[in-house]
Amino acid sequence: MVILKLQPEQISRHWDVLREVLTTLVMDGEQLEQKQVTKIAEKLISEQVQCWAVQEQVENEYNLVGFIFTSIVVDAIMEIKNLLLLGLYTLRPPSGLFIWTKSFEKLLLYARGNGCKSIIFYTNVPVLLSMAKKFGANVEYTYGVIPT
């Protein structure tokens, strides 16, 4: 398993694929609109949002499994840095959950190296909740969105 943080030039080169991936992601319970995808593109190029390519080694080849999008955020009140897991996209099912477990281990190293207190995320996907619990996540809270 390999997880690579894409550099801005790699994001530009593979934008057609990444744009398609971003249009399928759900954030705050809704699919992203085109202007939101464009905003994320700007943030990816400026490295305010990170894109991670997750690859699986099969024999002597590396196959792309999916992408993870993150952003380092600072709590405005407590002034604590956290790594926000914005989205996880699977191109194809990996051979096992260990691929995502190993990816989370790498993200933990990245978060610690950048002075983050925690990795935070919003999900209702049972397998992700189960995996997060293995890393000591407290998943007892409910995230709600009230449209205005």
Side-chain angles (χ1 to χ4, degrees):
M1 188 283 308
V2 175
I3 180 170
L4 302 168
K5 184 166 93 64
L6 299 183
Q7 300 303 311
E9 61 275 2
Q10 293 169 307
I11 290 164
S12 295
R13 193 172 351 153
H14 301 292
W15 179 242
D16 289 341
V17 172
L18 292 171
R19 179 180 52 233
E20 189 69 31
V21 166
L22 287 169
T23 59
T24 66
L25 287 180
V26 174
M27 292 184 186
D28 291 336
E30 296 184 22
Q31 280 192 287
L32 298 178
E33 295 175 11
Q34 185 54 47
K35 75 177 188 180
Q36 294 166 311
V37 171
T38 301
K39 189 57 119 177
I40 291 175
E42 294 170 6
K43 302 290 184 184
L44 284 164
I45 296 300
S46 68
E47 299 188 70
Q48 292 174 299
V49 171
Q50 302 80 40
C51 177
W52 305 83
V54 179
Q55 298 178 324
E56 176 178 42
Q57 185 174 1
V58 179
E59 296 179 15
N60 292 330
E61 289 184 18
Y62 285 94
N63 298 320
L64 187 60
V65 173
F67 296 98
I68 300 172
F69 296 91
T70 62
S71 181
I72 294 175
V73 295
V74 178
D75 181 288
I77 297 168
M78 302 303 293
E79 298 181 356
I80 296 170
K81 274 177 38 173
N82 292 299
L83 184 65
L84 174 61
L85 179 59
L86 293 167
L88 185 149
Y89 181 84
T90 303
L91 292 167
R92 62 176 185 74
S95 60
L97 281 180
F98 73 93
I99 299 265
W100 296 116
T101 302
K102 290 291 183 192
S103 297
F104 275 57
E105 288 173 1
K106 299 287 184 179
L107 291 176
L108 276 169
L109 291 174
Y110 178 78
R112 286 183 191 129
N114 282 280
C116 296
K117 180 181 178 197
S118 305
I119 293 177
I120 57 176
F121 58 93
Y122 309 106
T123 187
N124 63 355
V125 179
V127 70
L128 291 177
L129 291 168
S130 175
M131 187 170 44
K133 285 180 186 177
K134 292 178 184 172
F135 284 93
N138 179 347
V139 296
E140 303 304 317
Y141 296 98
T142 299
Y143 173 74
V145 178
I146 301 172
T148 57

